[in-house]
Amino acid sequence: TLAGGRAASQWTCDRSEFFDTTGRMGLPALMAGRTGTVDPVAALATDLEVAAGEEASYAFVLGHSDNAAQARELAAQWGQGGVDAELKKVKGWWQGLLGQVQVRTPDPAFDMLVNRWLLYQTVSCRLWAKAGFYQAGGAFGYRDQLQDAMALALADPARLREQILVNASRQFPEGDVQHWWHAPGGEGVRTHFSDDLLWLPYAIAYYVEVTGDVLVLDEDVEFINGPQIPEGAEDAYYTPHPAGQRASVYEHAARTIDRSLKTGKHGLPLMGTGDWNDGMNRVGHEGKGESVWLAWFLCTVVERFAPIARNRGEHERAQRWGDARAGWIAALHSEGWDGAWFRRAFFDNGDPLGSAANPECRIDLIAQAWSVLSGASTAAFTQPALYEMERQLVDRQAGLLRLLHPPLKDSQNNPGYIQAYPRGVRENGGQYSHGAVWAMMAQALTGNTDGAWESFQALSPAHRSADRKRAAAYELEPYVMAGDVYTAAPYVGRGGWSWYTGSAAWLYRAAIETLLGLAVRPGRIALSPRLPSHWPSVKLRLKLQGRDITVHWQRSEEAPPRIEAHATPGWGEWVALEGLPAEAVLLVRGVGPGVAQEQSGGEAGQGGFESVTYPAK
C-alpha cells in the first residue's frame, strides 16, 4: 500500500513514465495512471499551495496487506490522521533502545556513530531487513546475525537471547548448521564452512557472561534434518525438516565444538570450504586444508565455553576440549609461525598461505589480530606479528587497513573465488571493515592506543567523509559503515558495499568495550579505557538494572569534574551495582595514556575503578 494524507492529483504504476525516449530519467509532465505494467512502480503526486510564511506538511504512508480490500482499509485508516502520533511513537522506541548506553567524548563524530548510527544500522538493516542497497537477499546468516545481535547485549539482551534460540534451531544433529536460510520456510544451504557453527557457543558464552542468564542453557530446541552434502560437492541447498530430536541449547553449542576438534597434518583445525573468509573456498575443499585463523578462534571459544561445561559437570568433555586447545596453541607457534608473523592457512596439498614464501597473500590481517584477541599467544609472537601487520597492511597515506597483501591474481594454489575479485576489492586485499575492526581491537589491547585511534578513523565513515580528499574518493554515506573500501589504483579509498555489513556491530562493540573499556557483568561494572593520548576525559551514561549511572573518566593528571564526593582508591576493582542509588555518578582516574598495562585477549574489564561511588546531585 502506498497512500497519501491528501487526495493524489496524479499517480502511476508504470516506471517507464519516468524515462524519456533516450533512457534519461526525469519527472513526467503528467502521470498517466497506468497499471498492470511489466516494470511496476508506485508513484503519487499532489498539489500544495503554501502562502508566504505558511507551513504545510504531507505524509506518505507505505504499508503491506494480504489482499486489496485490506490495503484499501489501511490507506483509509492512515488517511484519517495519526501519522504524527505514530512517528512520535517510533522515535520514542528508538530513543529507548539507543539511550541505554550513551557516551560523550572529545570527538563529536565518534559520539554520533556510537550513540546513534552503528546500532541503528545493525538493527534496521542487518537484523530486520537482512538486505541492503547492494545485497537484497533477505536471508538469515548463521554467523552474521549472531555477531550482530551481540552488539545488543546491553541495549536489548532479550534480542540476543532470541537470536541464540533461533540459530540453535537451524542446526543438524551432527553439529553442523545452515550457512544461511530464508524464513519462514527454512530453505537454505548446508555447507562445509568451519566457523559458522562455532559462533553459537561464542555468542552464548558472551551472553551468559554479561547477563548471568544461565537458564538459556537449558532451553529445549529441536534440530533440523536433511540430506548430507553429496560427495565432492561444497554445499547442498534444500528445505530441511524437523529432526524429531531435541536438546538443550548447551548441548547444541557443545556439539559444535565436538565436531571441530579434528586437525590436519600440521596440527591445526580443518578449514573446510571457508573459515570466515568465504572467498577462500578452495583452500581446504578436499578436507585436508588447515586454518590458522580458525585455530585462534577455536582457542577463544573453548576458553570461554569450557567453564560452562565444567559447571554442568561435563568435566571429561571440557578436558577433551582443553587438550585440543593446548595442541592448537603448540601448532600455531610452530607450524603456524612464519618467522615474523603468523601464516593464514595451509592448502590441501600442504602448501602455506599467508607466508613470506607466497608472492600473493604474503600476510593476512585476521591471523595477526586474533593472535591477540584469543589471548592464546604471548608478546614474543604478537609484537612482531602486529608490527608486520602495520608495516605491510596499513596504508597511512590513504587511511586504509588491507585484509591481506599483496592481492591474489595468479596464485598457482587457487584459494577460491576470492581470486576472481579485482585486486584491492573486498576480501581480495581491500579494507574489509569487519576484519579491520579486529585489527584495531588488537592494537588497543596491546597498548597501541594512538594506533587504534588512527585505525578507528580509517574505519569511521564520519571521519573519512570529514576529510575533503578522502571524501571525494569515498563516495558513500557518512553515517553508516561500509563493508569494504578499495585499496588499489585507480580506486584507492572508494567505498564498496555500505549498510549491509556486520562491521557496524563490531565497531560498536570495539568502541564501547575495547576503546572505552566498559565491561558489564551481573551486578557489577568495570572500566579499562584504552583511549588516544590526546583525550583528557570521557563520560558514559548507562541504564542498567533499574539504575541510571554516569561514569566520568579523566586522566590522573587532569582536574576531576566537580562532584562532591570522597574517593576510594584501588585500581582494578569492579564496582558492585547493589547498594548504588537509582542515580549514581562514578569517577574514574586513568593511569597513563591508554591504561593498557598488559596484553590481555578478549573482553574489557581487566582493570577497574580507581575511585568509586558517588551519590548523584
Side-chain angles (χ1 to χ4, degrees):
T1 303
L2 175 65
R6 307 184 186 191
S9 58
Q10 299 179 46
W11 64 271
T12 188
C13 294
D14 187 355
R15 189 189 305 269
S16 66
E17 291 196 39
F18 293 88
F19 295 87
D20 63 19
T21 55
T22 66
R24 292 179 298 183
M25 188 169 64
L27 290 175
L30 181 68
M31 297 183 193
R34 290 197 290 264
T35 62
T37 65
V38 295
D39 190 13
V41 71
L44 298 177
T46 191
D47 297 320
L48 292 176
E49 293 186 8
V50 183
E54 185 182 4
E55 293 184 358
S57 62
Y58 185 89
F60 291 94
V61 179
L62 186 66
H64 175 267
S65 302
D66 292 335
N67 53 60
Q70 290 182 5
R72 284 190 288 269
E73 181 180 345
L74 185 65
Q77 173 188 339
W78 285 100
Q80 296 172 3
V83 172
D84 291 339
E86 188 66 20
L87 183 59
K88 183 178 180 181
K89 180 180 176 182
V90 170
K91 289 182 176 179
W93 186 90
W94 278 109
Q95 183 59 42
L97 177 72
L98 304 179
Q100 298 300 306
V101 178
Q102 290 283 290
V103 306
R104 183 180 298 172
T105 74
D107 193 290
F110 178 92
D111 298 352
M112 177 196 70
L113 289 174
V114 174
N115 292 337
R116 309 295 297 182
W117 281 104
L118 292 176
L119 271 191
Y120 176 81
Q121 179 177 354
T122 299
V123 174
S124 64
C125 187
R126 295 285 293 179
L127 295 175
W128 287 353
K130 291 179 283 294
F133 183 78
Y134 297 95
Q135 187 176 12
F140 286 81
Y142 197 93
R143 71 161 80 100
D144 297 342
Q145 264 70 44
L146 277 174
Q147 292 178 80
D148 295 331
M150 288 172 72
L152 295 169
L154 298 181
D156 189 4
R159 183 66 181 81
L160 173 54
R161 191 184 203 275
E162 177 188 355
Q163 193 64 57
I164 287 170
L165 298 180
V166 168
N167 277 56
S169 73
R170 309 315 301 173
Q171 183 184 32
F172 299 93
E174 295 84 355
D176 61 321
V177 301
Q178 287 183 300
H179 181 57
W180 54 258
W181 71 94
H182 284 281
E187 59 275 15
V189 62
R190 189 176 191 175
T191 72
H192 293 302
F193 283 115
S194 55
D195 75 306
D196 282 338
L197 64 169
L198 292 168
W199 289 101
L200 182 64
Y202 183 87
I204 291 171
Y206 175 73
Y207 171 76
V208 171
E209 187 177 53
V210 172
T211 67
D213 177 18
V214 296
L215 296 179
V216 71
L217 299 168
D218 294 315
E219 292 280 359
D220 190 50
V221 179
E222 188 173 15
F223 293 97
I224 54 175
N225 215 342
Q228 294 286 342
I229 302 169
E231 187 71 27
E234 293 188 12
D235 54 49
Y237 176 84
Y238 56 81
T239 303
H241 56 82
Q245 180 181 345
R246 308 179 70 89
S248 67
V249 163
Y250 163 79
E251 178 61 25
H252 278 262
R255 289 191 190 187
T256 70
I257 303 176
D258 291 342
R259 184 181 175 89
S260 303
L261 300 182
K262 187 177 180 180
T263 59
K265 70 176 184 179
H266 298 95
L268 296 167
L270 300 179
M271 185 161 184
T273 53
D275 65 352
W276 170 81
N277 194 327
D278 294 357
M280 293 183 174
N281 60 307
R282 304 288 291 176
V283 172
H285 70 289
E286 295 176 5
K288 300 176 184 178
E290 301 160 87
S291 169
V292 169
W293 173 82
L294 184 66
W296 293 126
F297 185 52
L298 265 166
C299 286
T300 307
V301 171
V302 168
E303 182 73 8
R304 296 183 185 179
F305 202 77
I308 295 176
R310 287 191 288 268
N311 288 338
R312 297 175 69 89
E314 293 216 320
H315 298 284
E316 183 179 347
R317 201 177 209 177
Q319 184 62 48
R320 186 166 68 251
W321 298 343
D323 292 343
R325 184 177 185 271
W328 300 327
I329 292 175
L332 283 162
H333 293 92
S334 55
E335 301 290 349
W337 181 247
D338 201 57
W341 62 85
F342 288 101
R343 295 166 175 162
R344 176 63 174 85
F346 289 92
F347 288 93
D348 287 310
N349 63 8
D351 290 347
L353 178 66
S355 165
N358 298 125
E360 299 172 356
C361 189
R362 185 172 57 243
I363 182 172
D364 186 278
L365 188 77
I366 65 172
Q368 319 315 317
W370 274 84
S371 69
V372 174
L373 300 185
S374 67
S377 190
T378 63
F381 289 90
T382 58
Q383 285 182 359
L386 261 62
Y387 171 80
E388 292 297 335
M389 179 189 82
E390 294 184 9
R391 185 178 72 87
Q392 299 189 55
L393 296 175
V394 175
D395 180 345
R396 286 187 167 81
Q397 182 176 357
L400 296 167
L401 292 84
R402 304 179 184 94
L403 183 61
L404 56 85
H405 191 72
L408 292 151
K409 182 185 179 186
D410 301 310
S411 174
Q412 291 183 350
N413 284 312
N414 183 4
Y417 71 79
I418 184 175
Q419 191 159 292
Y421 281 132
R423 286 175 290 179
V425 172
R426 293 187 62 74
E427 290 100 329
N428 194 14
Q431 175 172 288
Y432 204 76
S433 304
H434 195 148
V437 174
W438 291 339
M440 182 198 75
M441 294 167 65
Q443 289 174 307
L445 287 168
T446 51
N448 184 10
T449 55
D450 285 335
W453 176 243
E454 185 177 343
S455 295
F456 182 93
Q457 294 176 92
L459 286 157
S460 162
H463 291 83
R464 186 167 292 277
S465 299
D467 184 298
R468 181 175 299 179
K469 183 177 180 180
R470 292 179 181 176
Y474 188 53
E475 295 187 349
L476 285 180
E477 305 94 333
Y479 45 84
V480 293
M481 286 291 291
D484 61 308
V485 183
Y486 305 161
T487 62
Y491 302 112
V492 175
R494 175 72 54 84
W497 290 7
S498 66
W499 277 102
Y500 196 59
T501 165
S503 56
W506 270 109
L507 190 64
Y508 178 80
R509 285 193 61 195
I512 295 293
E513 300 173 25
T514 306
L515 299 184
L516 294 171
L518 174 67
V520 177
R521 300 294 180 265
R524 57 184 182 150
I525 60 176
L527 203 72
S528 302
R530 303 172 184 92
L531 300 174
S533 58
H534 64 280
W535 281 15
S537 62
V538 297
K539 183 168 75 172
L540 294 81
R541 185 177 180 183
L542 318 170
K543 295 182 180 179
L544 297 172
Q545 302 177 27
R547 292 174 173 83
D548 193 332
I549 303 170
T550 300
V551 182
H552 293 267
W553 175 88
Q554 78 285 318
R555 299 195 184 280
S556 56
E557 64 269 19
E558 300 292 331
R562 294 184 178 180
I563 303 173
E564 296 179 12
H566 299 284
T568 305
W571 178 260
E573 297 178 0
W574 290 81
V575 172
L577 299 181
E578 185 178 359
L580 287 183
E583 295 184 3
V585 177
L586 310 176
L587 174 61
V588 187
R589 293 185 180 179
V591 180
V595 197
Q597 298 171 330
E598 75 285 326
Q599 179 179 314
S600 58
E603 306 301 326
Q606 302 299 319
F609 293 97
E610 178 181 323
S611 305
V612 256
T613 65
Y614 302 94
K617 286 298 189 181

